[in-house]
Amino acid sequence: MSRDKSPRHSAAEQQSSDATEAQIAVHWPEEAYIPPPAPFIAHANLADPDVFERFSLDRFPECFKEFADVLDWYKYWETTFDASNPPFWRWFVGGRINACYNCVDRHLAAYRNKTAIHFVPESEDEAVQHVTYQELYVRVNEFAALLRDTFGLKAGDRVTLHLPMVAELPITMLACARLGVIHSQVFSGFSGVACADRILDSESRLLITMDAYWRGGKLIDHKEKADIAYTEAAGRGHTIENVLVWQRYPSRYSSPTALVEGRDVIVNDLLKTFRGKRVDPVQMPAEAPLFLMYTSGTTGRPKGCQHSTGGFLAYVAWTSKYIQDIHPEDVYWCMADIGWITGHSYIVYGPLALGASSVVYEGVPTWPDAGRPWRIAENLGVNIFHTSPTAIRALRRSGPDEPAKYNLRFKHMTTVGEPIEPEVWKWYLESVGKNKAVIVDTWWQTETGGFLCSTVPALHRMKPGSTGPGIPGIHPVIYDDNGNELERGCGKAGNICIRNPWPGAFQTIWKAPERYVKTYYARYCKDTKSKDWRDWPYMTGDGAVEAADGYFRILGRIDDVINVAGHRLGTKEIESAALLVPDVAEAAVVPVADEIKGKVPELYVSLKPGIEPAAEIAKRVSDQVVARIGAIARPHQVVIVPDMPKTRSGKIMRRVLAAISSHQDPGDVSTLANPEIVDTIKELNK
Ligand code: WTA
């Protein structure tokens, strides 16, 4: 059993806690509360404590009408919540809506000349582009016309986007949304092969990419990956019709990779014939899928989380307004990548649905130095800032005194993606927030569309290292491994689930409804015949404890997923990639603690008979993982071992490897089939 528990648990505790998750004692000291600053409370969008009463469980599901009312509907829905086919919940049934209209058109009257997107190129020599709502409207319409009239795209078609952090990415997403086309954006750091996996699974008609982009001072050839993705997908049975290439610098092609005649189209050239074209937003059913977002799971295949139009947009708009506390006059910067769910929900759809100004930064946060984010924030007047513990740790390590040099005026800051150490949290508040900001530690997932737990910034006191209670309308519950509810606030660890459905939740796994039920609902559903939503708690796959005050502390994944720098990587994906090297017989990956990234994968491989261990093989394995998945999955180390520690039934004991990697005591190994191997492996990984 390989379980990724809190880094604070010793291996010995992990060993003895093999019994049940729930018995893990949690030894962290409770942190003192910090109240939100009075000026924040005075201007907060949500300062009325009645909200918790309005969203109590007995007000479910009608309470969520308030979420949908943040949006403009063509046709109001008839049924707020349809539970007739659990757990395939349907929200705002009968309603008609367009996500692009809500993020663009409806703001023109009041905010035509306001910046919608500040695009900040990585190079400080290159000017920032301020795309106004009017300009966004024009560019989205022209590109939507191009997609419809040249390529015949229509509602329900899928397209894969493999775009870097440039203004063209939200423009492309919104153009798709305008047509009801389902976009599937793949993180630009993922390899061409990883992109092909997602093209194949979604059966996308087009791949939309960019020639090049800047990262760490280098102009990266990105088009190269499109060719790999195309060829790989074609070889596995799905041929993309066309590859659309945006130019990083319009009217110049910046990639050394040749264009393929008849297949590749330079978007910027073709757009010239669409100047001034307008496209009516397609009035989509609330339940129509808006996008797919692939995420890692316990098996090798990434899961295409299917998000709805009405429910998703309502959820991210409401939470952007009341948890992110975005007002129209705010300048908001979420430093995530749009290739992950955080960027979809809280760079693009949520903030733009509210008419906010949202920053899109192309490059590395510490490029060219750790003062960069603070210069961007100062120059644009950012007052709401949103990032991950990994980024905060990196900025703190390489420039602890940098924020003091800038006139930062953050009133609100978010952390998301992994647990944050109280020390790091305090630096964030004191140095970056200058003790004038609130911090929300938002816990959620690709599947959940938006925040699950967080403090409501003007209503709760902050507690470093804890996410907070469920947000209004979200009712978490912790179960032990036997399916018993843990007593509320008992401070014991267990598996955190959500009692009730909510509008932002994904609808299913694309083309894999059984896997959806099995992964998220089967374990704690008491009666699979039941039509009552109360019998279908949503299993998040995270371990957590609830303190007496109702605040949750998230301990990490309980399944085979490694959270690297806030991004989920499936252990099976990494192991399958290693097995593609012909010399490798077996592979096992474990998480090891990393000062900056939280966790990084460390890989153990054994070789086929007759093959001698060599550094060159380890390098090939590492390169293969990067080629297959992307640099984010690069193993910290590849250790070649003569054999894996195994149970008598032949199962690899990843727990033992994890202990060795963390230089901890692997505990009692006498039940292994080959206990002597443990010392050998310890020697190899000193
Ligand atoms: C982890 C990212 C602790 C958690 C939005 C979850 C967190 C996984 C937090 C989802 C947080 C996310 N504190 N852990 N505030 N936020 N996680 O799908 O393990 O990329 O299940 O979504 O990240 O990662 P995903």
Side-chain angles (χ1 to χ4, degrees):
M1 176 162 68
S2 90
R3 292 224 160 137
D4 173 15
K5 296 200 185 87
S6 158
R8 282 161 185 78
H9 295 128
S10 72
E13 273 176 307
Q14 292 193 12
Q15 169 86 26
S16 64
S17 73
D18 243 19
T20 75
E21 279 294 322
Q23 288 163 4
I24 310 166
V26 176
H27 300 301
W28 298 354
E30 282 287 303
E31 293 285 332
Y33 293 113
I34 300 165
F40 177 83
I41 300 175
H43 291 105
N45 279 329
L46 182 52
D48 174 6
D50 280 356
V51 67
F52 301 110
E53 181 51 35
R54 284 208 308 283
F55 286 92
S56 66
L57 207 49
D58 45 321
R59 301 283 172 92
F60 179 90
E62 289 306 322
C63 56
F64 282 115
K65 176 176 180 298
E66 193 177 314
F67 280 53
D69 282 340
V70 178
L71 304 176
D72 284 350
W73 294 78
Y74 295 113
K75 181 173 171 285
Y76 220 57
W77 61 93
E78 289 126 26
T79 312
T80 303
F81 175 65
D82 170 11
S84 58
N85 183 25
F88 299 90
W89 319 118
R90 301 169 73 216
W91 286 92
F92 312 124
V93 184
R96 295 232 162 218
I97 190 164
N98 185 279
C100 177
Y101 176 87
N102 273 278
C103 292
V104 184
D105 305 43
R106 71 166 177 159
H107 304 311
L108 294 178
Y111 303 123
R112 194 178 298 277
N113 273 322
K114 180 187 167 174
T115 298
I117 294 165
H118 294 284
F119 168 58
V120 183
E122 189 188 67
S123 164
E124 293 187 276
D125 296 335
E126 203 176 312
V128 175
Q129 290 171 28
H130 309 277
V131 182
T132 62
Y133 273 96
Q134 176 67 19
E135 188 179 342
L136 185 62
Y137 172 77
V138 169
R139 293 184 68 181
V140 165
N141 269 282
E142 291 175 353
F143 189 53
L146 178 155
L147 291 176
R148 185 189 63 185
D149 300 344
T150 307
F151 300 100
L153 284 197
K154 55 184 187 318
D157 289 347
R158 277 85 57 208
V159 297
T160 294
L161 281 42
H162 197 203
L163 287 166
M165 283 292 287
V166 290
E168 285 78 1
L169 172 48
I171 288 170
T172 302
M173 290 162 67
L174 292 165
C176 290
R178 200 167 185 84
L179 300 171
V181 167
I182 304 168
H183 57 75
S184 167
Q185 155 71 9
V186 177
F187 170 52
S188 58
F190 275 147
S191 67
V193 179
C195 183
D197 291 340
R198 289 149 178 83
I199 290 171
L200 273 164
D201 190 73
S202 60
E203 298 167 293
S204 286
R205 290 185 56 189
L206 303 180
L207 171 61
I208 307 181
T209 188
M210 184 165 256
D211 51 1
Y213 66 97
W214 290 95
R215 206 153 167 87
K218 287 197 209 69
L219 187 63
I220 309 237
D221 176 12
H222 192 56
K223 164 64 165 60
E224 184 183 30
K225 290 184 177 172
D227 289 11
I228 296 172
Y230 178 92
T231 309
E232 175 82 17
R236 285 156 63 192
H238 180 77
T239 305
I240 284 277
E241 294 167 27
N242 291 96
V243 177
L244 274 55
V245 186
W246 284 98
Q247 287 168 325
R248 173 64 179 78
Y249 297 99
S251 74
R252 161 154 44 117
Y253 183 60
S254 301
S255 161
T257 305
L259 294 165
V260 175
E261 183 81 34
R263 182 195 79 183
D264 297 352
V265 178
I266 296 286
V267 173
N268 304 70
D269 290 342
L270 186 58
L271 265 178
K272 291 177 186 149
T273 56
F274 289 90
R275 293 280 177 255
K277 286 278 186 314
R278 300 287 180 263
V279 172
D280 284 337
V282 178
Q283 304 191 7
M284 299 299 293
E287 277 298 290
L290 179 61
F291 66 87
L292 303 178
M293 172 62 67
Y294 283 86
T295 192
S296 297
T298 46
T299 70
R301 229 160 16 103
K303 303 175 283 193
C305 293
Q306 176 186 319
H307 281 283
S308 71
T309 306
F312 170 82
L313 197 66
Y315 200 74
V316 297
W318 194 95
T319 49
S320 292
K321 183 163 179 183
Y322 297 114
I323 305 294
Q324 297 284 282
D325 199 59
I326 299 177
H327 296 63
E329 63 271 24
D330 291 327
V331 183
Y332 169 88
W333 182 14
C334 170
M335 207 168 64
D337 194 292
I338 300 175
W340 308 110
I341 190 70
T342 302
H344 275 49
S345 301
Y346 297 113
I347 297 176
V348 180
Y349 285 113
L352 297 183
L354 298 180
S357 300
S358 188
V359 178
V360 172
Y361 171 52
E362 177 177 30
V364 177
T366 48
W367 181 265
D369 56 70
R372 185 66 193 281
W374 319 131
R375 287 197 288 284
I376 293 172
E378 187 183 70
N379 288 335
L380 294 176
V382 173
N383 63 345
I384 305 183
F385 186 63
H386 183 154
T387 192
S388 63
T390 292
I392 304 168
R393 287 184 212 114
L395 290 165
R396 176 178 178 238
R397 186 164 81 173
S398 50
D401 306 322
E402 281 300 309
K405 300 178 189 160
Y406 300 93
N407 182 22
L408 300 177
R409 52 177 211 113
F410 298 139
K411 65 166 184 176
H412 183 296
M413 305 193 302
T414 300
T415 163
V416 63
E418 341 144 48
I420 184 166
E421 301 77 4
E423 273 316 296
V424 177
W425 191 102
K426 286 174 192 163
W427 179 80
Y428 194 30
L429 181 68
E430 286 157 19
S431 300
V432 180
K434 319 234 167 180
N435 281 322
K436 291 193 174 131
V438 289
I439 294 183
V440 290
D441 180 342
T442 58
W443 168 70
W444 58 295
Q445 311 180 295
T446 304
E447 293 86 342
T448 71
F451 307 144
L452 291 177
C453 282
S454 168
T455 46
V456 177
L459 289 173
H460 287 122
R461 291 174 297 171
M462 304 174 254
K463 192 163 79 173
S466 290
T467 163
I471 68 157
I474 296 293
H475 301 276
V477 53
I478 300 183
Y479 290 103
D480 69 15
D481 278 355
N482 306 319
N484 304 313
E485 267 184 57
L486 292 188
E487 200 185 312
R488 290 216 57 174
C490 69
K492 286 205 185 119
N495 303 332
I496 184 166
C497 298
I498 310 298
R499 283 184 197 282
N500 59 294
W502 67 98
F506 70 140
Q507 301 172 295
T508 185
I509 300 173
W510 182 255
K511 293 199 309 197
E514 308 82 24
R515 196 176 169 202
Y516 163 78
V517 179
K518 187 163 169 272
T519 312
Y520 301 98
Y521 294 96
R523 182 156 175 196
Y524 291 111
C525 179
K526 293 205 175 65
D527 171 12
T528 53
K529 298 262 167 346
S530 169
K531 299 272 179 211
D532 186 343
W533 58 265
R534 289 170 196 82
D535 291 325
W536 294 87
Y538 166 79
M539 186 176 95
T540 67
D542 279 339
V545 284
E546 184 181 10
D549 57 11
Y551 284 38
F552 292 89
R553 189 187 292 157
I554 305 299
L555 304 174
R557 303 291 307 170
I558 55 168
D559 57 13
D560 294 335
V561 170
I562 304 181
N563 188 331
V564 181
H567 304 308
R568 282 156 64 180
L569 299 175
T571 50
K572 286 274 174 6
E573 283 171 80
I574 299 174
E575 291 169 3
S576 318
L579 289 168
L580 293 173
V581 174
D583 294 341
V584 172
E586 286 179 308
V589 69
V590 297
V592 288
D594 178 90
E595 205 187 317
I596 299 295
K597 294 178 177 167
K599 299 273 175 62
V600 287
E602 182 157 287
L603 195 51
Y604 290 85
V605 294
S606 65
L607 305 179
K608 289 189 182 148
I611 312 256
E612 285 302 311
E616 168 272 328
I617 299 179
K619 181 168 185 309
R620 265 193 286 137
V621 171
S622 181
D623 290 348
Q624 184 63 251
V625 171
V626 173
R628 191 73 191 69
I629 304 170
I632 189 164
R634 187 191 304 279
H636 158 74
Q637 188 182 191
V638 177
V639 187
I640 301 178
V641 296
D643 196 6
M644 299 285 179
K646 284 183 189 146
T647 60
R648 296 217 170 92
S649 59
K651 212 173 144 215
I652 299 177
M653 288 298 278
R654 289 181 181 73
R655 170 177 66 72
V656 172
L657 294 172
I660 297 173
S661 284
S662 313
H663 304 293
Q664 291 175 334
D665 176 11
D668 179 13
V669 293
S670 60
T671 56
L672 292 183
N674 51 353
E676 69 291 344
I677 202 73
V678 174
D679 284 336
T680 313
I681 298 176
K682 271 192 194 159
E683 275 303 306
L684 288 166
N685 187 8
K686 260 206 166 139

